Amino acid sequence: QKEVEQNSGPLSVPEGAIASLNCTYSDRGSQSFFWYRQYSGKSPELIMSIYSNGDKEDGRFTAQLNKASQYVSLLIRDSQPSDSATYLCAVNSGGSNYKLTFGKGTLLTVNP
Amino acid sequence: DTAVSQTPKYLVTQMGNDKSIKCEQNLGHDTMYWYKQDSKKFLKIMFSYNNKELIINETVPNRFSPKSPDKAHLNLHINSLELGDSAVYFCASSHSAAVSGYTFGSGTRLTVV
């Protein structure tokens, strides 16, 4: 079983819609969860982090964590064409303070 | 000031050559990393140094050798380059990865021909 799984997409949504990105992880010892955004040809950029069950909101972004289901998601409200990118889920497998394990990413396209 | 800087940005070289990639961070972080991102965007950890000490060494061919002269620098030397080494190599740094995640450099696109 892969450690961090994401649907590769592409996920296509119209401008103004809500984009929902999902991630599951296999290691129950994981404690920290991150979402990175990577534009084509650029480096990953941290956009959200979440550590406790529930929702965490930051502007148009909401991260949701359910440790019992080993599931983390990212919602992007009022999606804009500038949100078009690959979104990477990362997890500190085994509760490591150093190592983050990444999913393969979901390509999101927001259509004007 | 760039927080995590890598050089070179692009590297095109022939099979069998030896090359190095350099990374420097000015964030005061104590841990640095090398990740490899393949053509399918999969980011895989290669090495990590904490205060100049190697703490993560994943299953990587021994043609790859990291070196950390101090906690602000982490270099990657690759011997006898192969076609399969073609990828984007990202350097990253962190203070406490579990708390604040990583800051990535801009990447080095290595093409072996």
Side-chain angles (χ1 to χ4, degrees):
Chain A
Q1 183 184 5
K2 292 179 183 164
E3 291 188 58
V4 180
E5 291 206 57
Q6 297 179 251
N7 289 331
S8 59
L11 173 65
S12 185
V13 301
E15 185 174 354
I18 295 176
S20 177
L21 304 159
N22 304 317
C23 173
T24 58
Y25 60 95
S26 60
D27 189 336
R28 287 194 174 273
S30 301
Q31 299 165 344
S32 304
F33 306 86
F34 304 91
W35 284 99
Y36 282 81
R37 177 177 63 201
Q38 186 175 23
Y39 292 114
S40 180
K42 301 294 185 183
S43 58
E45 171 195 12
L46 181 64
I47 55 171
M48 288 288 287
S49 57
I50 187 166
Y51 315 103
S52 305
N53 281 329
D55 295 0
K56 178 181 177 183
E57 188 174 317
D58 184 1
R60 295 186 296 110
F61 298 99
T62 299
Q64 299 175 315
L65 175 60
N66 183 326
K67 289 186 179 179
S69 300
Q70 295 175 250
Y71 176 90
V72 58
S73 66
L74 178 70
L75 300 178
I76 306 174
R77 290 182 300 283
D78 188 26
S79 294
Q80 301 297 309
S82 59
D83 295 325
S84 299
T86 296
Y87 289 80
L88 302 164
C89 173
V91 173
N92 74 325
S93 292
S96 169
N97 195 35
Y98 300 107
K99 179 181 174 181
L100 297 185
T101 300
F102 287 79
K104 290 191 174 183
T106 298
L107 176 61
L108 171 67
T109 301
V110 180
N111 301 305
Chain B
D1 259 358
T2 304
V4 182
S5 59
Q6 288 180 236
T7 54
K9 192 168 174 63
Y10 300 97
L11 191 50
V12 181
T13 188
Q14 290 189 325
M15 277 196 311
N17 284 350
D18 303 339
K19 290 293 178 186
S20 292
I21 307 171
K22 297 187 175 184
C23 180
E24 176 181 3
Q25 56 97 2
N26 63 6
L27 297 168
H29 290 165
D30 48 16
T31 309
M32 296 184 72
Y33 308 80
W34 281 113
Y35 273 77
K36 179 181 180 180
Q37 188 170 48
D38 61 25
S39 57
K40 296 188 178 180
K41 292 282 197 177
F42 185 41
L43 264 173
K44 189 168 181 185
I45 193 167
M46 300 172 69
F47 304 103
S48 176
Y49 274 77
N50 177 260
N51 284 320
K52 301 195 295 176
E53 181 183 344
L54 182 65
I55 57 170
I56 296 174
N57 185 355
E58 296 289 298
T59 305
V60 175
N62 57 16
R63 298 181 295 103
F64 290 79
S65 53
K67 279 200 173 74
S68 181
D70 56 60
K71 72 174 192 177
H73 295 84
L74 179 62
N75 303 322
L76 182 66
H77 188 76
I78 316 169
N79 288 325
S80 303
L81 278 154
E82 300 177 357
L83 292 176
D85 297 331
S86 296
V88 180
Y89 292 84
F90 284 103
C91 177
S93 71
S94 72
H95 177 58
S96 172
V99 173
S100 53
Y102 298 155
T103 301
F104 282 92
S106 57
T108 296
R109 181 174 294 278
L110 171 65
T111 304
V112 182
V113 296

